[in-house]
Amino acid sequence: FDKLPTYQVVSHFGWVGDDFVPYSNKYLIDEDICTRDSLSALANKGTLDGWINTVRPLLSNTCLRLLVMTSFATPLIEKLNALPFFVVLWGKTGTCKTVTAMVAASVWGDPTKGKLVKTLNMTSNSLLSLAALLRNIPLFGDELEILRHKLKDFESTIMTLTGGVERGRLDKNARQRETPSWYNSFIVT
């Protein structure tokens, strides 16, 4: 034990005390609760100067600037004791909504669809679990309309997401399970 490095394992990305996972050397994310896509999507790649030089000229677009600013502001939600919120980029097909969301996702890592930008073709439970996993990192979703048509209780799911806490559940032994919570923004097209 004196020769092996030790790490504390956590169940979510984002703030753990004053450290921010996965960009901390003190904590590791529990791989049993996280997909490899999520882990690889949040890895550092490239340079800050390269990212700035690529994105800065694009910031003249008001929608893109709003989404990038939301992406950067998301870790402040928990620190300010604020509630999660949605930013929905709405428009006709072919107006670069998904690409705009991908640029905002590039703040955190790999903006490829399926990596940081997720399809919203998922169950309510999957969406809540993803919000809890990301915790202080924005959840980027493509095609909110899919979710609206898929879920019977769409409005209730949106209210739960913006409330920041999942409903209580019992385990198989009728004991209260830990209640997941999150403090992220939801950037969706």
Side-chain angles (χ1 to χ4, degrees):
F1 286 107
D2 60 328
K3 292 187 179 14
L4 295 174
T6 57
Y7 299 95
Q8 190 170 4
V9 177
V10 294
S11 62
H12 67 272
F13 295 106
W15 294 111
V16 179
D18 291 333
D19 291 294
F20 201 86
V21 175
Y23 311 108
S24 167
N25 294 329
K26 288 183 5 186
Y27 300 94
L28 294 176
I29 194 77
D30 183 351
E31 290 189 34
D32 288 341
I33 62 147
C34 183
T35 66
R36 294 229 180 269
D37 281 346
S38 296
L39 283 172
S40 66
L42 291 167
N44 290 334
K45 200 166 197 176
T47 66
L48 177 59
D49 287 339
W51 183 86
I52 290 171
N53 291 335
T54 301
V55 174
R56 181 175 278 149
L58 306 174
L59 295 177
S60 61
N61 179 295
T62 304
C63 291
L64 188 134
R65 189 170 59 250
L66 173 66
L67 294 191
V68 169
M69 291 168 63
T70 300
S71 191
F72 274 119
T74 300
L76 297 175
I77 295 171
E78 181 173 5
K79 297 296 185 182
L80 297 173
N81 199 26
L83 288 172
F85 60 91
F86 271 76
V87 175
V88 180
L89 194 54
W90 201 275
K92 295 178 182 176
T93 300
T95 55
C96 295
K97 299 180 301 291
T98 301
V99 172
T100 301
M102 290 170 76
V103 172
S106 74
V107 166
W108 299 102
D110 187 347
T112 308
K113 284 183 76 171
K115 294 283 189 169
L116 280 179
V117 178
K118 303 288 188 184
T119 176
L120 289 176
N121 188 12
M122 60 177 73
T123 66
S124 178
N125 284 339
S126 178
L127 190 56
L128 298 175
S129 293
L130 182 57
L133 173 65
L134 293 172
R135 189 168 171 103
N136 300 114
I137 294 174
L139 190 156
F140 298 92
D142 197 26
E143 300 298 340
L144 185 63
E145 284 302 306
I146 292 173
L147 195 61
R148 180 185 308 275
H149 296 300
K150 185 177 179 86
L151 297 180
K152 294 176 186 169
D153 199 4
F154 174 74
E155 289 81 11
S156 176
T157 300
I158 298 300
M159 291 297 292
T160 300
L161 288 168
T162 57
V165 65
E166 193 174 334
R167 67 183 179 167
R169 296 177 191 259
L170 299 177
D171 66 14
K172 63 183 178 184
N173 298 316
R175 287 189 301 247
Q176 187 70 33
R177 287 179 26 195
E178 184 178 336
T179 305
S181 60
W182 51 86
Y183 300 90
N184 39 5
S185 64
F186 298 88
I187 299 173
V188 298
T189 63

